[in-house]
Structure formats: C-alpha cells, structure tokens
Amino acid sequence: MTRPSATTAQRAAELRTALDRASYEYYVLDAPKLADAEYDRAFRELQELEAKYPALTIPNSPTQRVGAVPALALVKVEHHVPMLSLDNAFDAEELSAWEEKNARLNADVRRSGYTTEMKIDGAAINLLYERGRFVRGATRGNGRIGEDVTQNLKTVHELPLMLKGKGHPARMEIRGEVYISHAAFVKINQERARDGEPTLATPRNSAAGALRQLDPEITRKRRLRLFAFHVEVIEGKLPAERQWEVLDLLESWGFQVAPHRQEHKDLAAVQAAIPGYEALIKALEFDADGVVVKVDPLRLQEDLGVVSERIPRWGIARKFAPEVARTKLIRIGLNVGRTGAVTPFAELEPVEVGGVTVSSATLHNEDQISQKDIREGDEVEVMRAGEVIPQVLGPTPEARDRRGRGAAWTPPERCPACGTPLHRPEDEAIRYCENGGCPGRVLEGIVHYAGRDAMDIRGLGYERVRLLLQQGLIKDVADLYLLKAEQLESLEGFAAQSAKQLVAAIDATRARPLSTFLFAIGIRHVGKNNAQLLARHFPSLERIGKATVDEIEAVPGVGGAIAQAVFDFFENQGSQDLIARLKRAGIDPTEADAVVVDGPLSGKNYVLTGTLPTLSRKEAGQLIEKAGGRVTGSVTKATDVVVAGDDSGSKLDKAKGLGIEIIDEGELLRRV
C-alpha cells in the first residue's frame, strides 16, 4: 500500500479543516463564506486523496458523513442514562402549581432562577461522545433502549464528528432534537411530487421517519438539522453549574442551540415572557409547540430528581394554546383494543388542525359522550394540544341549539368484532370484550406487541398483521417466531429482501428485557412504567408468574388494580399456553437491572441530597434500589434515611428537625 507523503497528509488535513469550518458557518452560524462550487471542489479533492491513500481516512473526516452501506435492520442500544419525557403545563396556573410542588421539596427553587428554551417539535436523539469524538447516535425509543442510527445522523451537517474547544467530559451523552426546516420541507415535497412520490405529511413525522431509514442516502435527502440542549456525563466532569452555561458549552463545542433562549430571575419573569415566545411561532423556520422551562442551577436539578425514572421535576413544557377547528362528526365508531376495551372514536369530515389533516379523533369514553351530548351529524370542535391523537371537545354552540339533531348515542351491548356481550366494570367508564379469541383483540394485540414502544418489530404494522392473519400464517404473537422468509416472499407487498428483513426484525426481539415483554404482551393496566417496576422486582417470567396478588401489590408504585390484573393474566389458562409456546420459541426474557428482594436496604425509604464525593445522584439511587431500598424525592415522616453530600439544602434541615437518620456516601456504600 502506497504511503502518503507528509505534504499530501498536510493537504488532507487542510481540506478537512476548511470543509469543517465551511459546514459550521453554513449550518450553525447561517453565514456561509465559502461558495458552493468551491466547497464541492475541495470535497472531491479530499475524497480522491482518501481513496488513493486509505491511511488518510479518519472517523471524523467530512467524507465519512455519507456513503454507508444500507442496513438490514436497526440495532437496539441501551442509553447509559435514561432519556426523560417532560410533563406539560397548558396555562399559567399549571406552571405555578409545578413550582409550588417543587418548592415543597426544596424551597430554594423560588429564588434559583430559570432558563427557557423554545420547545422544538422534532425527533429526540441521544449522541454518545468519547474523548470529544462522536461514537454513536440513537433514537429515544422507550427512554431506556433506542435504535442505533449513527450512520443516518452522520448525514446531519450540524452534528460535530469531533467537538471543538475544551472542557468536554471524557464520556458523555448529548441530548438533542432533529428536525426539518419549513423551507426544506416545502422543497422536499416539491421534489417528491415532481418524481411522482407521495408527499410527506408533517416535518416532525418526516424527521422521525428519516432517522429510522435503513439507507443513509434516503436520510440525507431529508435535509435534517439538529439542536442540542442537554448533557449527561458518564465519565469526567462538566464545567458548568447552570443550565444556561450548559447551552453556552454546547455552542462552544460546535452544536447549534435553539434560538430565543432566555434567563429569568424567578417564575414571574418566566410567565411574563410566555406571550412573547408564542408570538414568535409563525416566524420560526421550524415547528415549535411551546417553551421548555428548566430550573437553572444543575445542583437543584440533581436535588429535585425525577418522577418514576421518567419525568424530571426540574423541567416542564409550557405548551401554547392549542389550535381548535370545526368540522362535522359523520359517525361514532368503535375500536376493540388489545385488552378487550371497546372505545368510541369520531369519524370526521377532514379538517386541518395544527398543520395536520384530521379525519378521526378520540371521544375518550361513553360517559364523556353523554356528558358533552355529542351526536352523529353535529358540528364539533376538534383540538390537537401538541398531541399525536386529536380529540373532540364537544358540539359547537350552534350545533347544540339546532333543532332536529340526531338521536343521542347509545353505548354498545355486544362486541362489534365478535358479537360477545360486553362487560363494564363498576369503577370504569369502558366496556370490555372478555373473548380472548376476538378478532379485534387479536389484531390489536399483535400490532401492540410489534409496536415501537413494545417489542419494536420494524415493518410489522396493521396491514401486514391483517395479511398474516388472513393467510392463516399466524393466530397470535407466538406464531411470529415460526415465520420463515420463504413463506412471506409470495405475499402481496413482500419481496425477498423485505421478507428477510421482517424475519430478522422478529428474531431480534429475543434479546428484549422482561420489562419490555410485560408491556408488549398486553396485560390490562400495565403500562411501560409499571412493567419496569414489576420486572425489577420479579426479574424472570417464572418469578412473576408465581407471584401472589399481595406480593405484586407490595412492589412500590404498583396498586391493587394492577396487581390483580397481573395475577389474573398469569392465572389464565390461555395466557399460560401462550407463554409456554413463546418459551418453546426461545422467548424467556429476564431483567438484568433487578432489585435484590431481600437486600440489605429492603423496606427502607431513602432520600438523597447535595453532591456526593464520587457517586452521581442517579448512581446512588440505582445502588439503593438494587439493594432493595426505595428512593423518594422529599423528606417526610416515612423517610428512614437521608444520604447527604456537600451543599445539602432544605432537605437536610428538615431531616434534622424530624430526627431522621443522616448518613454520608461512605456509610451508604458500606450498607449496600
């Protein structure tokens, strides 16, 4: 192999520097200095040098952003630190209530200050950097496990392959939002229409879809852009004490940060700024649906912690007033869910709400329909409050006053899918079909099992599940694992490659943890969070299958209704037969992050406060929970122990006042 000369290597380095600088000026600063033709010439020269001398090719070269081989499937990756979801506040009162709740945990929040950032309506991503180099990018997924989209993210020019400046920790995850600008979205649809392809529905959905493409070249055509907003340190130290400083750091490292961010001395200043933010919406080049409000000091963020490992107490999305449209309700339809729940929905004359054409919307339940007096044929108000599923608010005043309205809606007595008499529990507003073999339940159950938030079988949506059921190839989720590519190739919509991809995607689910399986299998009342709580205390199917109602209800965060539903599921003969068939197919999931039931901290409530010498708040909390203890956010009479570090705030004072035991990190480690 021919070795490049020193002069050639220097020229390659100069080209890389020039191209990186040009990309930064173009995509981040929006102030390009290098002409497009000059950029293209330099890029081609670098490509030719790297092709002639492979030793010159380095991972962060501008040429490595494109040209990856299409993947057969997206690989699952676990985030080092779970990705959180913000709670919402829709008015000033709800925002004030959020601060009041935080102040009960730590009074310092009232005088600590806040930052506000525009809430981008895009697709969340997680970027792993090691020693300043971009190593891996992943989708949010279920918050704990996402999909590896590294090659697709390399097509985003605003993503630094090598960080600029100094001060970045040795290993860290950077959180951001990928989006498509309004101008790019219009241009993409113009090009698709010219080529005879269907146009894309919304920038947000298009950005999320582009991230999950198997071919990076398709992703590149979507012209994705990126804002960064958060840092999670894995190894090293972050040279920042406030959220505002974190945003400054991200900019200095080469990231684009959302514009119009502000600092505020208190919540009153935040409230005063909201109308100004809302007035900006129509002038922005990207979709936004609110403002993110964060407690500014990182120490306080750490102290406030999270709710159920999912929602941060220190941040909230202040959503703008939702858009409401009027249209005609054509028919009240019924949907049979995976648990047998029969829920009504509205079939509407298509109407645009928040930039999306809506033809159906939720009606919640039969009690809501009765209370709001919603009838077929009414003109109704439809709202999308930043949510994916639109909802019917109720009839317009004109519709209520109109004579000759349609008859009041009557709830169904029998299942619309199988004719089985429906049962409505006394404490619920929903009727259930108890027939486990109901075609509606089977269809929805398999689709749910394959969904992105569940087992995430890429390429297995409603139409393909219907097709497989109609062809008799499957009758439940266990049959999915018996499918062969040769069986699929002859079906409509399949080719040899897509058949292999679906079988590979199904096979990949064998490695999913128990928490994912418990949510996917469709146990009534068991959502993602409850599934995680259950799996950590009963880390195998055998363990949870043998648990009593009392044992299940003893899991912190699991109530009586959930415990009974879980017990009933595993006692049901049909469920036992299904699980036995799944086990024969190789599906017997366990949970690695399990709690030691009889651990040294079992039955004890712990509170963490201040900065510990070596452990982060999350690491300390994980140690406590794995040892059987429970971590809570506030000091109460039920608190057994407070673990205090430097700069402990009001929690320490409250613990002293209540006579609660106070220990340091060293004592915690000894007990664990």
Side-chain angles (χ1 to χ4, degrees), residues 342-356:
V342 177
T343 53
F345 68 93
E347 289 185 10
L348 307 168
E349 284 188 354
V351 62
E352 187 172 302
V353 188
V356 176

Side-chain angles (χ1 to χ4, degrees), residues 110 491 634:
R110 295 189 188 279
L491 300 181
S634 57

Side-chain angles (χ1 to χ4, degrees), residues 324-472:
V324 177
R326 292 185 172 194
T327 189
K328 182 179 180 181
L329 192 161
I330 300 171
R331 186 178 79 92
I332 296 178
L334 296 168
N335 179 66
V336 183
R338 57 188 170 86
T339 63
V342 177
T343 53
F345 68 93
E347 289 185 10
L348 307 168
E349 284 188 354
V351 62
E352 187 172 302
V353 188
V356 176
T357 300
V358 171
S359 58
S360 65
T362 181
L363 290 166
H364 297 297
N365 57 56
E366 60 185 69
D367 288 355
Q368 291 276 333
I369 295 174
S370 175
Q371 291 167 9
K372 295 177 179 179
D373 191 20
I374 299 172
R375 306 186 186 190
E376 292 181 342
D378 281 347
E379 181 185 56
V380 293
E381 293 181 323
V382 184
M383 178 182 75
R384 286 185 74 250
E387 306 299 330
V388 175
I389 302 175
Q391 58 179 297
V392 172
L393 297 177
T396 62
E398 295 85 350
R400 287 183 181 277
D401 295 339
R402 181 171 58 84
R403 292 185 178 182
R405 292 176 70 196
W409 183 73
T410 304
E413 296 294 332
R414 291 182 174 273
C415 174
C418 69
T420 300
L422 299 177
H423 166 65
R424 175 174 170 172
E426 291 184 7
D427 58 344
E428 294 189 41
I430 295 175
R431 296 171 189 251
Y432 289 89
C433 172
E434 304 291 350
N435 175 16
C438 170
R441 290 187 63 176
V442 171
L443 171 64
E444 292 289 344
I446 298 174
V447 170
H448 171 78
Y449 184 88
R452 286 183 60 185
D453 287 341
M455 299 299 266
D456 198 4
I457 303 176
R458 184 175 173 83
L460 190 60
Y462 273 101
E463 295 310 314
R464 281 189 169 175
V465 173
R466 283 195 184 97
L467 179 62
L468 294 174
L469 288 168
Q470 290 167 0
Q471 295 296 317

